[in-house]
Amino acid sequence: MADANLAFGTLLLLIFPLALLALLALIVRPRPVKIPLKNRHVFITGGSSGIGLALAHAAAAAESARVSILARSLDKLEEARDSIRLATGIEAAIYAADVRDFDAVKKAVDSAGPIDVLIVNQGVFVAGELEKQELSEVRFMIDVNMLGSFNVVKAALPGMKSRSDRRPVSIALMSSQAGQVGVYGYTAYSASKFGLRGMAEALQHEVIADDIHVSLIFPPDTETPGLAEETKTRPPLTSIIAASSGAMKADEVARKCFDGIKLGSFFVPCNFEGAMLAIATAGLAPQRSPLMAFVEVVAIGLMRVVALFFQWNWYGSITKFASKNK
Ligand SMILES: NC(=O)C1=CN([C@@H]2O[C@H](COP(=O)(O)OP(=O)(O)OC[C@H]3O[C@@H](n4cnc5c(N)ncnc54)[C@H](OP(=O)(O)O)[C@@H]3O)[C@@H](O)[C@H]2O)C=CC1
Ligand SMILES: CCCCCCCCCCCCCCCC(=O)[C@@H](N)CO
């Protein structure tokens, strides 16, 4: 009897997880891939400031053959180019264009030449309750963050598909943890970032046959000029909820991005809270790592409990604020 129990226990504890892992290894899609950075062309939108600038520095340091950055202000682009040259000796190509202007983006992308790693990073954020926010601000965030990303991908895709270098290539979209969970003060911003997820999932279906791999990056609050500007007018509740996830430095985020891009990871979380969010919001996202798939399957129930605790805490803060302001 004791033997039977032991055997049964061993079966459950050992064989079941191993069988699950083996099954997942057979079915995870897309298949595992390695995307080399060395000697390749990395094109970064919003590459003149914050996370984008850190990405440009990291790409140059990774011995990319070429680094191109695109943003609106030529002054900031030139400053960025100088700082990249100073730090790495690499001369980045700069393109002044607004992502809302498809023709301008197309012109920049065409003169930059075929792209191996496209990082669609530009973004704007103005926090505020929808009731107080102007519709022009809502439109601004949707236009730059979402439609702007469509413009960039649409402009770059033909060249990426018809590349002569047959090695795998990457399209990475900069979302945010506010693109995984709706946050007070971020109705428009969260919508613009959640939108990128739908785009990324569908796009991956469409481009996998061309060996193009989509990544979706989810940083927490990150120390950048953009965040410094945003915090001046951010509602206290937005800051309180955002502080549930530890703040990061731009170059730490950049490092996580390239780790994820090189493995073709669909979700790229950046910190521990991000890893929990990735599991809690896995849904039907593609997953190419059998081990991560295993962790998702095993931990998803527990992560739902953790998520409910976070919401319990956030609704507590919201209620406290509401009664204070009555
Ligand atoms: N910082 C944070 O806390 C977090 C940021 N993110 C996301 O990371 C990305 C970068 O953010 P961050 O580094 O903080 O931002 P910054 O404001 O520091 O930099 C934004 C970059 O985007 C460019 N940009 C803005 N609007 C446009 C436009 N219409 N066309 C072309 N380029 C544009 C800016 O240059 P210019 O103004 O000259 O055009 C600049 O290079 C954004 O998508 C943001 O949503 C995600 C999570 C957290
Ligand atoms: C399983 C559950 C785990 C839960 C962890 C939850 C943490 C969520 C915090 C939300 C953070 C939002 C940051 C937005 C950053 C951003 O994009 C702005 N700074 C604009 O740039």
Side-chain angles (χ1 to χ4, degrees), residues 176-201:
S176 158
Q177 287 184 355
Q180 297 177 291
V181 52
V183 173
Y184 186 103
Y186 278 155
T187 55
Y189 181 67
S190 279
S192 76
K193 295 298 189 180
F194 269 78
L196 293 182
R197 173 170 178 166
M199 177 193 180
E201 286 191 12

Side-chain angles (χ1 to χ4, degrees), residues 125 175-178 181 183 186 189 193 219-222 227 230 234 241-245 273-274 276-277 280 303-304 306-307 310 314:
F125 31 92
S175 182
S176 158
Q177 287 184 355
V181 52
V183 173
Y186 278 155
Y189 181 67
K193 295 298 189 180
D221 265 353
T222 305
L227 182 68
E230 183 201 27
R234 189 151 94 157
I241 295 173
S244 312
S245 190
E273 292 81 3
M276 293 200 293
L277 273 170
M303 283 309 133
R304 180 64 181 143
V306 175
F310 271 94
W314 294 335

Side-chain angles (χ1 to χ4, degrees), residues 250-267:
D251 51 359
E252 290 171 348
V253 170
R255 228 174 300 131
K256 293 285 176 193
C257 286
F258 282 118
D259 289 349
I261 287 171
K262 283 194 272 189
L263 288 172
S265 308
F266 184 75
F267 275 5

Side-chain angles (χ1 to χ4, degrees), residues 132-145:
K132 296 183 195 153
Q133 201 154 45
E134 295 294 332
L135 276 171
S136 59
E137 290 174 308
V138 172
R139 207 166 283 125
F140 179 53
M141 283 183 264
I142 304 289
D143 276 352
V144 174
N145 301 356

